[in-house]
Amino acid sequence: MSEVRRVGWIGTGIMGVPMARHVLEAGYRLTVHSRTRGKAKPLVERGAAWADTPEALAADADAVISMVTDSPDVEAVYLGSAGLVRSIRRGALAIDMSTVAPATARRVAAALAERGADFLDAPVSGGSWGAEQATLSIMVGGEPDVLERSRPILELFGKSITHCGPVGAGQATKLCNQILCAGHLVAACEALVFARKNGLDPRTMLEAVAGGAAGSWVVSNLAPRMIARDFAPGFMIDLQQKDLRLVLETARETLACLPATALANQLLTAAQAAGHGKLGTQALIETAESLNTLIHEG
Amino acid sequence: MSEVRRVGWIGTGIMGVPMARHVLEAGYRLTVHSRTRGKAKPLVERGAAWADTPEALAADADAVISMVTDSPDVEAVYLGSAGLVRSIRRGALAIDMSTVAPATARRVAAALAERGADFLDAPVSGGSWGAEQATLSIMVGGEPDVLERSRPILELFGKSITHCGPVGAGQATKLCNQILCAGHLVAACEALVFARKNGLDPRTMLEAVAGGAAGSWVVSNLAPRMIARDFAPGFMIDLQQKDLRLVLETARETLACLPATALANQLLTAAQAAGHGKLGTQALIETAESLNTLIHEG
């Protein structure tokens, strides 16, 4: 329960690097580990130490933060043969900011509890830009007192920090977020297809509807990129699909019937089949248009 | 092309009455007609004249405005045996503010053109509250000069007036609006179902996600009413279904493939089957929950 000074960081992808940099810049002593050592270079160059394994990294850390891709990655980092649970100190904080299954969060928390370490699931939304600017929204599952101890670190990444419930509730909330994003994405595609089929100027259509009951972040931010054919990834289709897989797996386990989310998942699968997995989710418009043989008209 | 002083108004429903009142209050001479004479009473009491038929109403009007429910109503009002086209004056303005099929708008415009009268389709969004407060968004199809002549009247209903293209483009834009609203509605229901199935407090979930990429007007305005079981109609399920019927009919005619909109239409059909047609669209949560046998748990 002592003050956090030494932080271990695992995961140096598009989100992990800028987030870890905020930790360094706030004056914490940072040790970093990632699957690909080269990707930790920008952090090591700024003074972070390197650890060869999660186990080595956790041995003298007051807090450990993970930001990796998927449930199996989190399980490996925490529970694997050189995982964090082997060495984590009593009273240390472990915060997983990846987006994974709520069940994974609960499994990891239980294993850490046996070692006397505390866990939060704290997935984020806001993308790489939010990570750079420290404007992420953070959805936290875990004990309130663990959140309070973690707050000074979490505030390095964003000011919108919501306590969603016990361990797993942060992940479940993030999955609700993805259900909404996916539904809004498909709706925007269908509105734009209908607009083109009916001879409307799509920009004028958006202008007319975006301010009212049809408005959404997706309509305001992604639909204009769909029209402009700007498919640079704010959030990649492959990652949206990973998150929808988590949604639908969790929905199956909890017997939640989500037909529109399942449809969005299928349409995004068509986008992946067309080779668009590394593009931003707004590239789904290409699939929607190809269903309407509009693809070569634009 | 002379100044508009005498206005004929057709349709005295939940939208028509407050809109026509704005016309009266702006000093125009108003004559009113509706299928049910009694519903015109609040306007007649404020000084409007009554006409027994659209034909009688149009005979001395500089502008005629219709606000009725569906395509057949508009066809009857304009093209029926006592319809407006029989008596409308050369150079008169006719503005249909109902939500109907783009093809209906084009048919009416063609018949009026033969009589030398000008037509705009000008459907609105913003609901009865927007009608009362004169904050409707108006989506206009027609010739730019006809819109300019009509603008002083349209501005009595709202300041957001978008010229969407030729006759029919206002209706097509309104249908895009409804595609988005329906998609957002279903997404909100699925997020709330998933939240309950996973033990989340739904209000906390909304708080955590509404400000980011998952945000929408529906999430901010209808989802809280879903949680509170406040199903008073801002916009009725029966009317949303009428509009989705127009979307899907027009989509069939133009060969637009809209699987998510078709799914929303089916789910709303289940809500109608459950007797919820006169409730607000947010009552779709009851159908989503009944699909998950959550209906009696809340």
Side-chain angles (χ1 to χ4, degrees), chain A residues 160-298:
Chain A
S160 165
I161 299 170
T162 307
H163 184 232
C164 300
V167 166
Q171 297 297 350
T173 301
K174 175 67 187 286
L175 297 184
C176 290
N177 188 84
Q178 300 305 71
I179 289 168
L180 291 165
C181 289
H184 297 174
L185 179 70
V186 172
C189 288
E190 295 201 353
L192 286 175
V193 162
F194 186 90
R196 280 186 70 184
K197 284 282 190 174
N198 285 276
L200 296 179
D201 176 74
R203 284 184 184 80
T204 306
M205 182 276 284
L206 289 180
E207 242 171 69
V209 309
S216 72
W217 185 94
V218 168
V219 165
S220 297
N221 291 275
L222 295 187
R225 292 176 202 201
M226 292 179 184
I227 296 169
R229 282 3 222 184
D230 171 4
F231 296 148
F235 188 62
M236 264 193 273
I237 283 175
D238 282 345
L239 288 176
Q240 175 72 276
Q241 284 291 73
K242 182 216 91 184
D243 290 357
L244 290 182
R245 195 201 76 230
L246 297 170
V247 168
L248 294 170
E249 280 173 7
T250 304
R252 193 181 59 220
E253 287 160 16
T254 55
L255 294 180
C257 168
L258 308 176
T261 305
L263 175 59
N265 176 240
Q266 292 297 311
L267 292 169
L268 285 159
T269 299
Q272 291 177 301
H276 299 161
K278 305 295 179 211
L279 302 180
T281 53
Q282 69 273 23
L284 184 64
I285 189 65
E286 295 257 324
T287 297
E289 293 188 346
S290 73
L291 277 173
N292 287 279
T293 62
L294 281 169
I295 200 87
H296 295 301
E297 294 176 23

Side-chain angles (χ1 to χ4, degrees), chain A:
Chain A
M1 300 289 269
S2 59
E3 208 197 333
V4 172
R5 271 168 298 201
R6 290 161 302 176
V7 174
W9 190 278
I10 297 178
T12 51
I14 191 172
M15 299 293 289
V17 167
M19 291 170 74
R21 204 166 51 226
H22 296 313
V23 177
L24 266 176
E25 284 166 2
Y28 292 92
R29 283 175 50 195
L30 193 74
T31 304
V32 63
H33 170 76
S34 73
R35 218 158 31 183
T36 313
R37 184 166 181 167
K39 290 169 86 178
K41 209 179 153 198
L43 296 168
V44 172
E45 280 172 352
R46 285 168 184 254
W50 168 260
D52 281 326
T53 63
E55 184 179 3
L57 173 134
D60 68 347
D62 304 315
V64 174
I65 302 174
S66 52
M67 188 58 166
V68 296
T69 303
D70 204 347
S71 303
D73 307 315
V74 167
E75 305 233 356
V77 160
Y78 284 87
L79 311 178
S81 59
L84 293 171
V85 292
R86 292 175 165 260
S87 63
I88 197 159
R89 300 161 69 204
R90 284 197 77 76
L93 291 168
I95 307 172
D96 180 40
M97 307 192 75
S98 325
T99 296
V100 300
T104 299
R106 288 189 288 265
R107 205 145 45 227
V108 166
L112 288 166
E114 282 182 27
R115 298 275 311 183
D118 293 312
F119 179 79
L120 296 178
D121 51 306
V124 301
S125 75
S128 55
W129 195 85
E132 296 279 355
Q133 305 290 314
T135 57
L136 294 170
S137 292
I138 308 173
M139 293 155 265
V140 181
E143 293 302 315
D145 66 299
V146 181
L147 170 54
E148 287 322 305
R149 285 163 55 210
S150 304
R151 201 176 278 278
I153 291 186
L154 293 177
E155 284 176 345
L156 301 175
F157 312 126
K159 296 293 173 267
S160 165
I161 299 170
T162 307
H163 184 232
C164 300
V167 166
Q171 297 297 350
T173 301
K174 175 67 187 286
L175 297 184
C176 290
N177 188 84
Q178 300 305 71
I179 289 168
L180 291 165
C181 289
H184 297 174
L185 179 70
V186 172
C189 288
E190 295 201 353
L192 286 175
V193 162
F194 186 90
R196 280 186 70 184
K197 284 282 190 174
N198 285 276
L200 296 179
D201 176 74
R203 284 184 184 80
T204 306
M205 182 276 284
L206 289 180
E207 242 171 69
V209 309
S216 72
W217 185 94
V218 168
V219 165
S220 297
N221 291 275
L222 295 187
R225 292 176 202 201
M226 292 179 184
I227 296 169
R229 282 3 222 184
D230 171 4
F231 296 148
F235 188 62
M236 264 193 273
I237 283 175
D238 282 345
L239 288 176
Q240 175 72 276
Q241 284 291 73
K242 182 216 91 184
D243 290 357
L244 290 182
R245 195 201 76 230
L246 297 170
V247 168
L248 294 170
E249 280 173 7
T250 304
R252 193 181 59 220
E253 287 160 16
T254 55
L255 294 180
C257 168
L258 308 176
T261 305
L263 175 59
N265 176 240
Q266 292 297 311
L267 292 169
L268 285 159
T269 299
Q272 291 177 301
H276 299 161
K278 305 295 179 211
L279 302 180
T281 53
Q282 69 273 23
L284 184 64
I285 189 65
E286 295 257 324
T287 297
E289 293 188 346
S290 73
L291 277 173
N292 287 279
T293 62
L294 281 169
I295 200 87
H296 295 301
E297 294 176 23

Side-chain angles (χ1 to χ4, degrees), chain B residues 7-217:
Chain B
V7 173
W9 190 278
I10 296 178
T12 51
I14 192 172
M15 299 293 289
V17 167
M19 292 171 73
R21 204 166 51 225
H22 295 312
V23 178
L24 265 176
E25 284 166 1
Y28 292 92
R29 283 177 49 196
L30 192 74
T31 304
V32 63
H33 170 77
S34 75
R35 217 156 35 181
T36 313
R37 184 166 181 168
K39 291 168 86 177
K41 208 178 154 200
L43 297 169
V44 172
E45 282 172 353
R46 284 166 184 255
W50 168 260
D52 281 326
T53 64
E55 184 179 3
L57 173 135
D60 68 348
D62 304 315
V64 173
I65 302 176
S66 52
M67 189 58 167
V68 296
T69 303
D70 205 346
S71 303
D73 308 316
V74 168
E75 305 232 357
V77 160
Y78 285 87
L79 312 177
S81 59
L84 293 172
V85 292
R86 292 175 164 260
S87 63
I88 198 160
R89 300 160 69 205
R90 286 196 77 76
L93 290 168
I95 308 173
D96 179 39
M97 306 191 76
S98 324
T99 296
V100 299
T104 299
R106 289 189 288 265
R107 205 145 46 228
V108 166
L112 289 166
E114 282 182 27
R115 298 275 310 184
D118 292 312
F119 179 78
L120 295 177
D121 51 307
V124 302
S125 76
S128 55
W129 196 85
E132 296 280 355
Q133 306 291 315
T135 57
L136 295 169
S137 292
I138 308 172
M139 294 156 265
V140 181
E143 293 302 315
D145 67 298
V146 181
L147 171 53
E148 287 321 305
R149 285 164 54 210
S150 305
R151 201 176 278 277
I153 291 187
L154 293 178
E155 284 175 346
L156 300 175
F157 312 126
K159 297 294 173 266
S160 165
I161 299 170
T162 306
H163 184 232
C164 300
V167 166
Q171 297 296 350
T173 300
K174 175 68 187 285
L175 296 183
C176 289
N177 188 84
Q178 299 306 71
I179 289 169
L180 291 165
C181 289
H184 297 175
L185 179 71
V186 172
C189 288
E190 296 201 352
L192 286 174
V193 162
F194 186 90
R196 280 187 69 183
K197 284 282 189 174
N198 284 275
L200 298 177
D201 176 74
R203 285 184 183 81
T204 306
M205 182 276 285
L206 289 180
E207 242 171 69
V209 309
S216 71
W217 186 94

